[in-house]
Amino acid sequence: GRSLCVALWALALSAQTHFTCDPHQFQHDMTVYFKLVSPSGSNISQTDIYEMAAFVGDECRGVGEFLTAKGTNGQTIKYGYMRVRSNVMNGETVTFKYFDKEAGEEKVVEETSIDFEANGMVGMPSSPMALAVEGAPVLIGDVNGDEEVDLTDVVLIFDFFMGEELADFIETAADFNGDGEVDLTDVVLVFDYFMDQ
């Protein structure tokens, strides 16, 4: 009996959220689909260290959750889902905050806000709104930000090494051995990593 109580208590603690919002205090809501990106714009797949919330001023108006769905070509799509609430039909400015569970810090998503619209929707699971979070872990080798290390990354690192100008190239992810330079060693190491996956 006692171990069951301890297990349930631990489960309840792990399910506790940093942000809280009482949906029963509000008459209207809207849906926001979002994804997390790094400040450079690359997608973040490690979402479990973040908790997202919507705010009007200092009042929490919705807490996000992360869901997965199957895309049309069978790939897994990971996206965030949030119901944002209000007592006015439209016009309130909604901003976003996140709690970094590893750092224990609450931060504002800079330069991103939406206008509340009752029954409105921002984004879709297949094309969610991007919310930039700082300190997001970079997947080493994933220089195009598609959350995979594949032959495309190997070619892009080689092209970068050869001096090509590349749009949206994540240079920190290209330095596979962490020596501060992007060179042929990184090209070979990323290729070996890809082959061993």
Side-chain angles (χ1 to χ4, degrees), residues 31-36 44 47 52 63-69 77-83 122-129 131:
T31 303
V32 176
Y33 292 103
F34 63 92
K35 66 179 177 178
L36 300 187
I44 295 172
T47 55
M52 306 303 296
V63 179
E65 60 182 311
F66 292 99
L67 306 170
T68 55
I77 299 171
K78 193 172 199 176
Y79 62 93
Y81 168 82
M82 187 182 313
R83 299 295 289 264
V122 173
M124 294 179 61
S126 57
S127 60
M129 176 178 73
L131 296 177

Side-chain angles (χ1 to χ4, degrees), residues 140-155:
I140 300 301
D142 176 24
V143 296
N144 61 357
D146 68 355
E147 300 179 36
E148 291 181 41
V149 178
D150 53 25
L151 278 177
T152 304
D153 297 301
V154 175
V155 171

Side-chain angles (χ1 to χ4, degrees), residues 139-183:
L139 177 58
I140 300 301
D142 176 24
V143 296
N144 61 357
D146 68 355
E147 300 179 36
E148 291 181 41
V149 178
D150 53 25
L151 278 177
T152 304
D153 297 301
V154 175
V155 171
L156 288 170
I157 295 169
F158 180 76
D159 290 348
F160 180 82
F161 168 71
M162 294 304 289
E164 279 192 44
E165 291 287 323
L166 302 172
D168 302 324
F169 183 81
I170 306 166
E171 193 171 342
T172 52
D175 183 13
F176 200 81
N177 62 358
D179 67 357
E181 293 180 34
V182 177
D183 52 27

Side-chain angles (χ1 to χ4, degrees), residues 28-196:
H28 309 289
D29 68 0
M30 70 181 291
T31 303
V32 176
Y33 292 103
F34 63 92
K35 66 179 177 178
L36 300 187
V37 297
S38 68
S40 67
S42 59
N43 290 331
I44 295 172
S45 56
Q46 190 182 349
T47 55
D48 54 343
I49 64 170
Y50 299 102
E51 185 179 319
M52 306 303 296
F55 281 80
V56 172
D58 290 331
E59 185 178 27
C60 184
R61 295 292 186 86
V63 179
E65 60 182 311
F66 292 99
L67 306 170
T68 55
K70 286 282 183 217
T72 50
N73 56 1
Q75 91 280 24
T76 300
I77 299 171
K78 193 172 199 176
Y79 62 93
Y81 168 82
M82 187 182 313
R83 299 295 289 264
V84 180
R85 294 167 163 76
S86 178
N87 281 319
V88 296
M89 288 291 287
N90 50 44
E92 285 188 308
T93 300
V94 179
T95 58
F96 300 92
K97 292 183 183 178
Y98 63 96
F99 180 68
D100 181 331
K101 297 175 190 174
E102 286 185 349
E105 293 178 333
E106 185 180 299
K107 295 181 181 175
V108 174
V109 176
E110 300 293 338
E111 299 172 27
T112 304
S113 65
I114 59 171
D115 290 329
F116 182 85
E117 184 182 319
N119 303 318
M121 186 167 82
V122 173
M124 294 179 61
S126 57
S127 60
M129 176 178 73
L131 296 177
V133 295
E134 290 175 29
V138 172
L139 177 58
I140 300 301
D142 176 24
V143 296
N144 61 357
D146 68 355
E147 300 179 36
E148 291 181 41
V149 178
D150 53 25
L151 278 177
T152 304
D153 297 301
V154 175
V155 171
L156 288 170
I157 295 169
F158 180 76
D159 290 348
F160 180 82
F161 168 71
M162 294 304 289
E164 279 192 44
E165 291 287 323
L166 302 172
D168 302 324
F169 183 81
I170 306 166
E171 193 171 342
T172 52
D175 183 13
F176 200 81
N177 62 358
D179 67 357
E181 293 180 34
V182 177
D183 52 27
L184 281 177
T185 305
D186 298 304
V187 175
V188 172
L189 289 171
V190 173
F191 179 74
D192 289 346
Y193 176 82
F194 164 70
M195 295 302 286
D196 290 343

